[in-house]
Amino acid sequence: MNDLVRQHTALSDTDLEWLHLLVSEWQLLSDLSFADLVLWVPTRDGTRYVSVAQMRPNTGPTSYQDDMVGHLVPRGRRPMLDVAHDEGRIVREGDPEWREEVPVRVESIPVRRDGRVLGVIARNTNLLTVRTPSRLELTYLQSASDLAQMIAAGSFPFPDQQVDMDASPRVGDGLIRLDADGVVQYASPNALSAYHRLGLAADLVGHHLGVTTAELAPSRGPVDEALSKVASGWAPREFEIEGNDGVIQLRAIPLKPKGTRIGSLVLLRDVTELRRRERELITKDATIREIHHRVKNNLQTVAALLRLQARRIESERGREALEEAVRRVGSIAIVHETLSQTLDERVEFDEIADRVLAMVAEISPGKVTGRRIGRFGILDAEVATPLSMVLTEILQNALEHGFGPGDTGTVEVSAVRGGTSQEIRLLVTVQDDGVGLPEGFDPHRSGNLGLQIVRTLVEGELGGTFDMVRAPERGTQVVLDIPVRAEK
């Protein structure tokens, strides 16, 4: 719609925002009218109209099989559009049109904002299935007529209320029509069923909806003092009420077709099961985070015990082995600590990489600086945990074997994401400017326990490749190529 309006019309950005607000709400008018809606806006030179939006009803058959958005028609071809636009009034005159042997009643509703007519809504009703209307249908049509008059007067939609139509109740979910005093004139079967779930034993018709709703609100805990007034439809607002193990979502729409409030529409939906599932998910997420938190605490306890044992061992090699184990456990604990602070099993690995780099740098025999280049991005937990251990082993190996006491140097960790939408790969390069590899060294056959862990995790668990070679100028370069999921 933005492109069509800016390309063909002279409407301002504020006018366009009003049209967006209208289009976000007009599924309500379409369903109440049992009709298709097409929004026509005059072109910049005033000689044609361009259709910028279209809506089909959920409550009846469509009048348009084709998409009308983007169509241009000259003035004069559809006189009802001209009259509605020029005179600023709803036009219902004329005989039904015939489209592919289907009779269609056409009406035109001017769209007004700040006293100006921005465009015209063509309301097209398929008359092929017309029958004697029921009480529900009559209530729908009367409510649609009131809303159409409000659109023509510029009082609907409500500029200070942004509605999420995906989450808001719809006409078919349940509808209640109130008079000016807030007394129920009509309640659809779905609306009545929803109130019965709250604990209402009687009928709604003839009762004050605000008073009835406040009485059904739970007595325990604070109750919204304005609940009765809100449920009476005095202001456009959405709210929820919970009672008798049921949860009902309501949306109040004041009806002011001629500037004076004559009543209200209340749309409602039973969201009991939806809220129950949301609570279960919240509980599940909290449980998972608590598990990660406890695992992190347990790993830190294990690391502390290993560190304590290392201090009591006289053998230098034994003490070094235990200190290596402490760092391995610590790298896993970092991942679980990060997971305990997220809502899903995915982590921002850049923070983990920086913490691992800082942790391993503490063992440097000289003054070695570590830095990260590039971005690892968000990784799943099943990738982040082994990758943190792999990174720990590679960095530890580079610092222990690449530099001696008093040496200065740099260890650089580089991360690059690439690939296709089907397979995203992460290329990790760890390069130091230390003494380099000894002659004849084969990382795939020889090496210490740390390199064996790296090979096992990269090739076995991560499904990637691992290589260790001499750096182009000086030092050692380790390259990891592993598959990861695309960021969401």
Side-chain angles (χ1 to χ4, degrees):
M1 185 168 74
N2 287 355
D3 294 339
L4 289 172
V5 169
R6 288 169 178 155
Q7 178 182 355
H8 295 285
T9 77
L11 296 182
S12 65
D13 288 342
T14 53
D15 293 334
L16 180 57
E17 285 299 320
W18 183 264
L19 295 185
H20 274 294
L21 189 60
L22 172 66
V23 168
S24 71
E25 291 271 31
W26 71 344
Q27 181 72 64
L28 173 62
L29 177 62
S30 177
D31 290 345
L32 290 173
S33 304
F34 308 97
D36 291 72
L37 305 178
V38 179
L39 177 57
W40 297 93
V41 180
T43 57
R44 188 174 288 103
D45 57 10
T47 61
R48 296 178 297 175
Y49 297 97
V50 58
S51 59
V52 298
Q54 179 179 0
M55 177 58 65
R56 294 183 173 90
N58 294 318
T59 53
T62 183
S63 301
Y64 285 112
Q65 299 297 329
D66 299 328
D67 186 5
M68 295 297 297
V69 176
H71 284 214
L72 290 162
V73 297
R75 277 183 63 91
R77 178 171 296 179
R78 300 188 179 182
M80 294 176 67
L81 289 181
D82 299 336
V83 175
H85 179 266
D86 297 341
E87 300 181 11
R89 64 179 179 89
I90 298 176
V91 182
R92 295 190 176 93
E93 298 89 351
D95 296 327
E97 297 180 2
W98 287 84
R99 300 175 187 164
E100 298 180 357
E101 300 183 355
V102 175
V104 177
R105 182 175 65 241
V106 181
E107 303 166 86
S108 295
I109 305 168
V111 177
R112 192 183 304 272
R113 173 182 175 271
D114 292 340
R116 297 182 299 111
V117 176
L118 306 183
V120 178
I121 294 177
R123 182 163 55 178
N124 304 267
T125 307
N126 187 325
L127 301 177
L128 195 61
T129 59
V130 170
R131 61 186 184 277
T132 302
S134 64
R135 179 76 185 280
L136 180 145
E137 291 169 331
L138 289 174
T139 303
Y140 277 20
L141 292 173
Q142 180 58 54
S143 302
S145 177
D146 295 335
L147 283 177
Q149 292 182 56
M150 292 171 64
I151 292 173
S155 58
F156 187 83
F158 305 109
D160 56 346
Q161 185 188 42
Q162 191 70 34
V163 178
D164 182 1
M165 292 306 298
D166 291 333
S168 183
R170 295 177 179 255
V171 170
D173 296 326
L175 178 142
I176 297 175
R177 172 85 185 213
L178 307 178
D179 64 13
D181 297 323
V183 176
V184 178
Q185 293 180 314
Y186 175 79
S188 71
N190 285 345
L192 192 58
S193 296
Y195 265 81
H196 285 169
R197 183 152 192 179
L198 289 178
L200 180 69
D203 194 0
L204 275 173
V205 176
H207 293 268
H208 192 281
L209 186 66
V211 174
T212 302
T213 304
E215 290 175 349
L216 293 172
S219 57
R220 61 184 185 278
V223 178
D224 186 358
E225 295 178 356
L227 178 60
S228 177
K229 189 172 183 179
V230 170
S232 300
W234 285 93
R237 183 176 167 185
E238 290 192 14
F239 61 101
E240 286 188 4
I241 176 175
E242 182 173 356
N244 196 35
D245 296 327
V247 184
I248 306 301
Q249 180 184 17
L250 300 97
R251 181 191 177 197
I253 304 171
L255 296 177
K256 303 177 181 179
K258 295 182 180 180
T260 302
R261 182 175 172 275
I262 63 168
S264 305
L265 278 182
V266 177
L267 304 179
L268 66 155
R269 178 172 58 178
D270 186 343
V271 293
T272 304
E273 293 303 315
L274 178 62
R275 295 295 177 261
R276 182 185 62 80
R277 289 195 295 268
E278 288 177 351
R279 292 188 185 110
E280 288 179 351
L281 289 174
I282 292 173
T283 302
K284 178 182 177 182
D285 290 341
T287 301
I288 292 174
R289 289 198 298 271
E290 178 62 20
I291 289 172
H292 285 301
H293 181 71
R294 294 189 181 188
V295 170
K296 182 262 296 184
N297 289 343
N298 291 339
L299 289 173
Q300 289 180 338
T301 301
V302 171
L305 292 174
L306 291 174
R307 195 177 295 111
L308 182 63
Q309 186 67 38
R311 294 171 184 167
R312 294 175 176 270
I313 293 181
E314 296 181 359
S315 170
E316 184 69 23
R317 293 187 61 185
R319 185 164 53 252
E320 290 177 356
L322 285 177
E323 290 175 350
E324 287 182 2
V326 168
R327 285 187 286 274
R328 288 165 185 151
V329 172
S331 66
I332 302 175
I334 291 173
V335 177
H336 283 282
E337 181 181 3
T338 306
L339 287 169
S340 69
Q341 301 169 0
T342 62
L343 295 177
D344 54 17
E345 292 291 285
R346 312 182 80 218
V347 296
E348 176 63 63
F349 197 80
D350 293 329
E351 178 185 353
I352 294 175
D354 293 340
R355 293 180 63 180
V356 168
L357 191 60
M359 179 181 68
V360 177
E362 295 176 357
I363 69 168
S364 172
K367 297 181 179 181
V368 180
T369 303
R371 65 168 178 262
R372 172 177 58 86
I373 298 177
R375 182 170 176 266
F376 286 85
I378 298 175
L379 300 178
D380 292 332
E382 58 263 30
V383 175
T385 301
L387 183 58
S388 67
M389 285 196 65
V390 167
L391 193 58
T392 299
E393 297 298 335
I394 294 174
L395 290 171
Q396 184 171 297
N397 190 74
L399 292 172
E400 286 186 351
H401 302 287
F403 302 93
D407 289 350
T408 59
T410 302
V411 177
E412 182 179 281
V413 179
S414 172
V416 178
R417 295 177 77 111
T420 64
S421 58
Q422 287 76 27
E423 183 183 47
I424 302 296
R425 301 192 71 85
L426 179 63
L427 184 66
V428 181
T429 304
V430 180
Q431 182 169 320
D432 64 72
D433 54 4
V435 298
L437 296 174
E439 291 293 335
F441 180 82
D442 184 357
H444 297 283
R445 294 186 178 181
S446 57
N448 54 23
L449 176 61
L451 289 182
Q452 294 177 21
I453 293 175
V454 170
R455 286 198 299 269
T456 301
L457 291 177
V458 172
E459 298 173 358
E461 190 162 344
L462 293 174
T465 60
F466 157 74
D467 197 12
M468 176 183 284
V469 297
R470 285 182 175 271
E473 296 181 0
R474 180 187 176 187
T476 304
Q477 184 180 80
V478 179
V479 180
L480 308 176
D481 186 358
I482 60 176
V484 296
R485 293 183 184 178
E487 291 190 28
K488 298 179 181 178

